Amino acid sequence: MSKLQRTAKQFQDGWISFLRVLARNSKIKFVIRPNVRPCTDGKVAYLPSLPANLTEEDLILFKRWGYHEVGHIMHSDVPFFQEFSMEHGAFAGLLLNAVDDVYMEYAQTRSSRRSERFFRQGAAIMFDRGMFRDGSQSPQEAFASYTLCFLRSRRWSEY
């Protein structure tokens, strides 16, 4: 096993241990599956599994998504968001999520200082990998993406 692989394995083991402690202390359940988009239902945080050829960037994204979903569970009113989306439609839900992402990530950085590093580094990686929603799917997505980036850019220059 190369030094890089051992380091990646150690980072992965440390992150999984962190998730276990966080789950035990906060009662949050984590489900890690291949090809899942990071999301939460307010009690369970769903995260994509780490790739076999793990890079440091993959770990940063995993941590970013973990902090993001935990932030929704801790700082967002997920049941309200679900009801709001059902009542007003997918676009309204997408826009509300975009606005809340900014509020929630700022709140998360106040409760966990390390999370800001992962939010910022993860943003750069997601941009480089073309993972951000860019508005190409619909005018509604474009509006929500613009709103999200505009609000975030007021604090974090990466956006």
Side-chain angles (χ1 to χ4, degrees):
M1 191 180 288
S2 75
K3 183 177 180 182
L4 179 62
Q5 288 173 328
R6 277 196 304 269
T7 302
K9 177 80 169 110
Q10 290 168 348
F11 281 133
Q12 180 180 0
D13 289 345
W15 183 244
I16 298 300
S17 297
F18 172 77
L19 289 178
R20 286 188 186 124
V21 170
L22 185 59
R24 186 172 47 245
N25 291 343
S26 64
K27 308 298 186 229
I28 296 172
K29 180 180 176 185
F30 292 91
V31 174
I32 301 172
R33 294 188 185 138
N35 304 318
V36 69
R37 185 179 177 146
C39 63
T40 184
D41 63 6
K43 295 180 180 145
V44 179
Y46 298 92
L47 301 172
S49 57
L50 294 166
N53 296 324
L54 189 61
T55 67
E56 187 173 341
E57 286 185 349
D58 295 324
L59 290 168
I60 290 168
L61 286 177
F62 186 82
K63 291 175 184 182
R64 184 206 189 287
W65 293 327
Y67 277 118
H68 182 92
E69 297 311 325
V70 167
H72 275 304
I73 293 169
M74 293 173 63
H75 305 290
S76 301
D77 187 347
V78 177
F80 170 77
F81 287 15
Q82 292 167 336
E83 290 174 23
F84 183 87
S85 186
M86 287 175 49
E87 182 176 339
H88 300 288
F91 171 59
L94 177 65
L95 188 56
L96 179 61
N97 186 63
V99 172
D100 182 64
D101 277 353
V102 176
Y103 158 79
M104 173 277 300
E105 285 186 358
Y106 292 166
Q108 185 67 341
T109 62
R110 285 190 301 277
S111 65
S112 172
R113 296 297 300 159
R114 290 186 68 208
S115 65
E116 181 172 356
R117 180 178 134 221
F118 294 112
F119 288 144
R120 297 181 84 168
Q121 287 179 325
I125 294 166
M126 290 172 70
F127 179 78
D128 289 343
R129 292 185 179 185
M131 299 171 78
F132 271 115
R133 289 185 174 189
D134 62 1
S136 61
Q137 298 297 312
S138 68
Q140 293 86 357
E141 183 196 53
F143 185 75
S145 297
Y146 175 81
T147 301
L148 178 69
C149 288
F150 175 79
L151 293 173
R152 280 186 173 150
S153 70
R154 306 193 43 84
R155 180 166 174 185
W156 294 335
S157 60
E158 292 83 350
Y159 292 89

